[in-house]
């Protein structure tokens, strides 16, 4: 059961980075990045609750021991950990550790041996894009932030009310990796948006 939740978590994180609605594809990449950060926070909170429940259930049931594949070389594992730590700063430390562990599990799975280099390559590309977006966020002027927030509001207004509420809750707590000024501007702008239809 725990393994299933872990696989679901990895799949959802991958889906966050790989998919977006057709309407949102036309939006500015930085705006999309910000909305993805918010969605990632919302989804991570939901998944963590599910993982906690699964851990409680799995601790009471006996789980057969499955032999593990050889771990990757220490240098590669450390390199991936460093890449995750510097690229996914919007995730908490525990979430980054879980992402690292999930990635290593996928890479060590004998079924993925043929695609191992492709998985590393794709993950590295996503991580570098994420890192670059974080760096771009840190260099935004106030005028840039206002322009991004205006576009983010248009995307926000397209969401169903449940997703809107979840994003507001995340913004109220603050999003790690997002400049505080930008977080506050988004919170104010999203709060003043008309109700979803």
């Amino acid at each position: 059961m725990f393994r299933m939740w872990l696989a679901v978590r990895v799949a959802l994180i991958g889906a966050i980075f790989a998919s977006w609605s057709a309407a949102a594809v036309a939006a500015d990449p930085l705006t999309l990045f910000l909305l993805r950060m918010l969605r990632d926070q919302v989804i991570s909170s939901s998944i963590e609750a599910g993982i906690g429940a699964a851990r409680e259930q799995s601790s009471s049931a006996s789980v057969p021991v499955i032999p593990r594949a050889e771990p990757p070389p220490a240098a590669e594992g450390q390199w991936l950990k460093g890449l995750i730590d510097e690229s996914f700063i919007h995730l908490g430390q525990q979430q980054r550790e879980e992402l690292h562990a999930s990635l290593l599990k996928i890479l060590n799975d004998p079924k993925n041996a043929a695609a191992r280099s492709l998985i590393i390559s794709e993950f590295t590309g996503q991580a570098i894009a994420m890192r670059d977006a974080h760096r771009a966020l840190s260099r935004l002027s106030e005028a840039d932030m206002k322009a991004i927030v205006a576009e983010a509001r248009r995307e926000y207004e397209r969401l169903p009310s449940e997703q809107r509420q979840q994003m507001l809750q995340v913004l109220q707590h603050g999003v790690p990796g997002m400049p505080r000024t930008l977080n506050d501007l988004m919170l104010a702008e999203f709060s003043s948006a008309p109700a979803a239809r």
Side-chain angles (χ1 to χ4, degrees):
M1 183 66 143
F2 172 70
R3 293 169 205 253
M4 180 187 73
W5 279 108
L6 201 54
V8 168
R9 185 176 196 288
V10 170
L12 283 175
I13 288 172
I16 290 167
F17 298 125
S19 67
W20 198 261
S21 70
V25 170
D28 177 59
L30 202 49
T31 302
L32 294 178
F33 170 73
L34 291 171
L35 293 174
R36 285 179 186 153
M37 282 176 62
L38 290 171
R39 283 191 179 177
D40 190 24
Q41 291 290 90
V42 169
I43 290 172
S44 291
S45 297
S46 300
I47 292 171
E48 284 176 5
I51 289 174
R55 284 181 179 160
E56 289 175 14
Q57 289 177 352
S58 68
S59 65
S60 62
S62 63
V63 178
V65 177
I66 299 173
R68 296 180 48 99
E70 286 295 316
E76 180 183 82
Q78 288 302 316
W79 177 79
L80 287 170
K81 180 159 181 29
L83 182 64
I84 289 169
D85 286 343
E86 77 176 26
S87 300
F88 298 93
I89 60 173
H90 63 284
L91 298 176
Q93 181 63 34
Q94 181 180 355
Q95 292 171 317
R96 290 194 304 266
E97 288 172 7
E98 289 173 0
L99 177 59
H100 180 248
S102 297
L103 179 60
L104 290 181
K105 182 177 179 180
I106 290 168
L107 292 173
N108 291 332
D109 188 337
K111 292 183 275 186
N112 297 328
R116 191 173 200 281
S117 62
L118 179 63
I119 293 168
I120 291 172
S121 175
E122 289 294 320
F123 180 81
T124 301
Q126 290 292 331
I128 289 171
M130 185 74 67
R131 182 190 64 202
D132 292 346
H134 280 295
R135 288 179 180 165
L137 278 177
S138 69
R139 293 188 298 262
L140 290 175
S141 68
E142 190 171 335
D144 292 336
M145 287 185 195
K146 288 180 179 177
I148 288 171
V149 168
E151 188 168 348
R153 178 180 170 149
R154 287 191 293 275
E155 297 299 322
Y156 173 80
E157 289 175 347
R158 295 178 180 164
L159 296 173
S161 64
E162 182 180 314
Q163 286 182 3
R164 286 175 159 206
Q165 188 59 37
Q166 290 172 340
M167 283 191 174
L168 282 175
Q169 289 172 353
V170 167
L171 284 168
Q172 288 167 348
H173 291 97
V175 179
M178 182 185 294
R180 187 70 199 171
T181 305
L182 182 58
N183 189 91
D184 294 345
L185 286 171
M186 288 182 83
L187 180 58
E189 195 69 24
F190 288 6
S191 296
S192 68
R197 297 177 193 170

